[in-house]
Amino acid sequence: MTESALGNNNELVRRRNLGVILSLVHASGGLSRSTLTRETGLNRSTIGALVGDLAEHGLVEVLTPDSAGTVGRPSPIVSPAPGVVALAVNPEIDAVTIGIVRLGGELVTRVRYPTDAPPTPVEAVRISAAVIDGMRGELQANLVAGIGVAVPGLVRASDGLVRWAPHLGWRDVPFAEMLAEATGYRVVAANDATLGAMAERAFGAARGIDDFIYLNGGASGIGGGIVAGGVPVAGKAGYAGEFGHVRVTGEVNAGGDPEAGALERSVNRAALLAAVGRTDAEADGLEAALLASDDEHVRAEVRRQLDHLSVSLRNAIAVLNPERIVLGGFLASLFAVDPEHLRSRVAAQVLPVADEEAEIVRAELGQGILMIGAAELAFRDLLVDPLGIVARV
């Protein structure tokens, strides 16, 4: 091997190791240098040099812990630099939500811009760009990794093209490209529920779980994300996990409606809002109203929706054998009202051995989940090649 080739290989290894370290720090929120040494298998001097590189480029902070009451010198703590952020955008049928998320998964700003009707792609870009422009003061001192977009629809994995977002009425929309042109930032897009699954695996209820399903209930319907053997299951073009379109009733429309009997026809936020007499779309308000209600009509609607949801979960357990099912968005609120009803209905429909392994829980990240998930998408390249992204932004 020539000296030049050896040098190139050494640089590739160094850049890969920088990504490994930054990924560990990001996922944990901060680790001691001694823990990084143990986790990576690299020696102390190599870890010190790599951490120094990351700190020099403003990606991590190295902090000296309080040594009071300890024996010996404690290992420095390596934490994500608070100035490293990603932007997040989530267009929905009734609002466009924009957020700022720090490296380490901390949502620091979330702005929900309501709309009277589903925004067109041009309107969603205009709203997003205007809100982001208003955030420039917060972003001046930051390294912005880019913008992640959580889309309630089918997004082609290869280029982020929104192939079909039925509730928004978008078809073959290059939304990421449009938003990049309007803001000047690098933009990547993916399905909203897939990103919710990423967020819960990184920082929430699926942390450390290699086989799980995430179902997200939003204004546009129900979507899902699947992780099997620690690997996200996206399908050939990235469209896997559309649980909302799976049939759960025997309804057949004589007109050939392909959505007849689909889960999101039977389980939807609009019916829950109507039951409690609310128009407030935020999940926290809906959940509080559902929990506070003693109206039998409300309870009956909750049980009806849980019964239909149980059919979908039964099918998912039979096909995928997950360790955990995580419910987010309004599905988490629905579950919170009567969790035992859903669990018992699922248990009654699946093979007993399969049900022993499938735990049903609610998402832990609340209404910030899609912001955090979209930011994970924007951070992805930074975590693979930190210095390469720093050089580009």
Side-chain angles (χ1 to χ4, degrees):
M1 180 180 294
T2 66
E3 184 175 340
S4 174
L6 179 62
N8 289 338
N9 284 339
N10 287 340
E11 178 60 17
L12 287 173
V13 170
R14 171 178 167 272
R15 292 174 77 126
R16 184 189 67 191
N17 286 337
L18 286 168
V20 169
I21 291 171
L22 190 60
S23 296
L24 287 169
V25 171
H26 167 64
S28 64
L31 290 171
S32 68
R33 272 204 332 217
S34 60
T35 300
L36 286 170
T37 300
R38 184 172 64 252
E39 291 286 328
T40 62
L42 299 172
N43 62 49
R44 291 172 58 189
S45 61
T46 299
I47 288 292
L50 293 170
V51 168
D53 279 350
L54 292 171
E56 181 182 345
H57 287 87
L59 297 172
V60 301
E61 290 184 330
V62 182
L63 308 173
T64 302
D66 184 2
S67 60
T70 63
V71 177
R73 187 173 65 182
S75 179
I77 302 298
V78 184
S79 300
V84 182
V85 303
L87 293 160
V89 171
N90 172 222
E92 259 290 6
I93 63 172
D94 56 356
V96 179
T97 304
I98 301 95
I100 300 175
V101 180
R102 287 190 178 127
L103 193 67
E106 179 189 359
L107 176 62
V108 292
T109 300
R110 179 178 178 270
V111 176
R112 185 176 184 273
Y113 190 100
T115 58
D116 294 330
T120 66
V122 170
E123 289 168 342
V125 166
R126 177 181 54 78
I127 291 168
S128 300
V131 172
I132 289 169
D133 192 56
M135 295 173 168
R136 298 280 179 179
E138 295 180 70
L139 299 173
Q140 281 180 357
N142 294 339
L143 180 132
V144 182
I147 302 174
V149 184
V151 181
L154 303 179
V155 182
R156 192 162 64 193
S158 61
D159 57 6
L161 182 75
V162 181
R163 290 302 316 278
W164 180 221
H167 300 284
L168 291 174
W170 297 5
R171 187 185 289 276
D172 291 330
V173 175
F175 187 75
E177 181 181 324
M178 294 165 63
L179 189 56
E181 184 176 347
T183 63
Y185 291 116
R186 183 182 66 94
V187 182
V188 282
N191 172 262
D192 57 353
T194 299
L195 297 180
M198 288 175 59
E200 285 293 325
R201 185 161 195 248
F203 303 108
R207 195 167 189 165
I209 305 295
D210 284 340
D211 293 274
F212 76 94
I213 300 165
Y214 170 73
L215 267 71
N216 183 69
S220 291
I222 296 171
I226 304 165
V227 172
V231 179
V233 177
K236 179 175 174 55
Y239 307 152
E242 289 294 332
F243 291 98
H245 302 292
V246 174
R247 185 168 292 179
V248 295
T249 74
E251 177 189 354
V252 178
N253 189 296
D257 179 4
E259 293 298 288
L263 175 65
E264 61 184 38
R265 289 284 181 87
S266 300
V267 180
N268 60 79
R269 192 189 65 171
L272 293 173
L273 287 169
V276 295
R278 294 181 66 96
T279 58
D280 179 7
E282 289 280 44
D284 290 350
L286 172 60
E287 181 169 324
L290 289 171
L291 289 171
S293 177
D294 57 4
D295 187 331
E296 184 50 41
H297 170 68
V298 173
R299 296 290 170 166
E301 176 61 22
V302 167
R303 288 192 295 270
R304 184 192 69 80
Q305 293 204 21
L306 289 173
D307 286 346
H308 288 301
L309 179 59
S310 73
V311 177
S312 179
L313 299 188
R314 177 258 190 199
N315 294 337
I317 291 169
V319 173
L320 297 167
N321 186 215
E323 177 180 350
R324 188 167 293 176
I325 296 172
V326 181
L327 302 177
F330 81 82
L331 295 180
S333 302
L334 188 64
F335 177 61
V337 179
D338 198 345
E340 291 313 311
H341 183 81
L342 180 62
R343 290 187 177 117
S344 65
R345 292 294 297 142
V346 171
Q349 300 175 67
V350 300
L351 295 173
V353 175
D355 183 54
E356 289 172 3
E357 300 298 329
E359 180 185 19
I360 304 172
V361 301
R362 64 178 298 161
E364 293 180 358
L365 299 179
Q367 62 187 18
I369 185 170
L370 296 184
M371 297 289 96
I372 295 170
E376 282 295 285
L377 188 64
F379 281 134
R380 186 169 55 189
D381 287 352
L382 177 69
L383 297 175
V384 171
D385 183 14
L387 301 193
I389 296 301
V390 167
R392 281 162 47 188
V393 301

